[in-house]
Amino acid sequence: MSALLLIAVACYAFGAGHALAALWRPLSPRWFWLALWLMGAGFAAHTASVVVRGWEVARCPLLSYQEVCSFLGWAIAAYFLGAYAWYRSQSFAAFAMPMVFLFALAAWLLPAPSDTAAVLKFYGQTASLLTLHAVLFVFAYAAFAILFVAAILYIVQERQLKRKQFGPLWSRLPSLDTCDDVSTKALMIGFALLTLGILTGIVGSRRLNGVYWHGDPLEFLSLATWLIYFCVVHYRLTAGWRGRKAAWLGIVGFAIVIVSLVGIGWFNGFHAIG
């Protein structure tokens, strides 16, 4: 797994470097295509590393901080490549590629768990349900990462429009409608997955410990995340919220997601993992 993950990290590093360089000055289109091909190669190697890890441990590789970082980086890469295939916007790469690289790099640097058999034994018959709970959360967080990127691009572009001061990025930014469309799709996908993730977690907790709520910090953060994105969904559907308000709430929601991800390894409680 480490060799495959290292290949993925190297490919993502080139993509991230190109994306950051393109923020400051226009580059030849062939450099973007090379970065995109390397991103695809990195995603293939990353996919193989996740599959190999799952094969080695005979479970879904989501029981340690290292595995969560790897799985989340892989999911964001999958969303990014899907979004690029749909919208053909190079600007998303400037933010999405570095994010994918950082999660993959963290997974490569962190130590792999030595023994998770005791955890699986503790979960018992609820292991499958709790695994589904974790997978749903990771894919929801990856969708919110794409929403975060689209929200940043929207706010940058709107600010330049209001001030009528167009920076070097202006000509390479996607339209406001494209940013809003990407945000809406990522919001709906992420919110549906997060809701299902919370529900499966509640049911799994009830079956495992006989309680619906443990009261640990991650549960409060998950509830706060769900409420923020619920507000965005609600006001988009009922009050026609679009643009800046929804973008700022998407950024706030993703900040809580980041705190939750960091907290998985630091907070004590039912959801703490090593």
Side-chain angles (χ1 to χ4, degrees):
M1 176 189 175
S2 295
L4 289 168
L5 189 56
L6 180 58
I7 293 172
V9 170
C11 293
Y12 290 155
F14 185 90
H18 169 275
L20 292 174
L23 279 175
W24 305 109
R25 53 175 298 185
L27 299 177
S28 169
R30 64 184 178 181
W31 283 106
F32 173 75
W33 285 110
L34 178 59
L36 191 63
W37 274 102
L38 283 172
M39 188 75 180
F43 179 70
H46 202 164
T47 302
S49 78
V50 172
V51 171
V52 168
R53 176 63 183 169
W55 180 269
E56 288 174 345
V57 296
R59 58 171 173 76
C60 183
L62 271 175
L63 274 185
S64 73
Y65 204 59
Q66 185 259 355
E67 292 174 346
V68 169
C69 287
S70 176
F71 207 102
L72 182 58
W74 174 82
I76 295 173
Y79 277 124
F80 161 71
L81 291 173
Y84 178 77
W86 187 269
Y87 293 100
R88 299 288 175 180
S89 172
Q90 297 184 15
S91 306
F92 286 106
F95 293 89
M97 285 186 180
M99 198 182 304
V100 171
F101 165 69
L102 289 175
F103 277 113
L105 179 64
W108 183 68
L109 293 174
L110 288 168
S114 57
D115 181 19
T116 56
V119 179
L120 286 176
K121 185 177 180 181
F122 173 71
Y123 287 160
Q125 294 182 346
T126 60
S128 298
L129 185 60
L130 293 176
T131 297
L132 176 62
H133 159 71
V135 170
L136 289 168
F137 258 79
V138 169
F139 276 108
Y141 284 176
F144 293 145
I146 297 300
L147 167 59
F148 169 76
V149 170
I152 291 289
L153 291 175
Y154 186 99
I155 288 172
V156 168
Q157 187 173 189
E158 188 202 41
R159 182 165 296 180
Q160 291 187 355
L161 273 172
K162 281 186 175 180
R163 296 179 177 177
K164 296 183 179 179
Q165 295 176 349
F166 305 112
L169 259 182
W170 174 256
S171 62
R172 302 190 293 281
L173 289 174
S175 68
L176 289 177
D177 285 342
T178 298
C179 292
D180 197 60
D181 193 46
V182 172
S183 297
T184 303
K185 287 185 171 64
L187 171 66
M188 295 305 176
I189 293 171
F191 182 71
L193 293 174
L194 181 64
T195 303
L196 290 173
I198 290 174
L199 290 175
T200 52
I202 291 173
V203 173
S205 175
R206 173 64 178 171
R207 289 182 181 177
L208 183 65
N209 294 322
V211 297
Y212 295 107
W213 177 267
H214 293 86
D216 71 29
L218 283 176
E219 288 179 336
F220 284 106
L221 287 170
S222 297
L223 180 60
T225 305
W226 187 88
L227 286 173
I228 286 176
Y229 288 115
F230 171 78
C231 288
V232 184
V233 171
H234 174 72
Y235 285 111
R236 269 187 180 271
L237 296 178
T238 61
W241 264 26
R242 293 170 62 87
R244 189 160 58 92
K245 290 181 181 176
W248 275 114
L249 271 183
I251 292 171
V252 172
F254 191 67
I256 299 178
V257 167
I258 293 296
V259 173
S260 300
L261 288 170
V262 174
I264 291 174
W266 290 92
F267 295 149
N268 293 320
F270 179 71
H271 291 83
I273 60 176

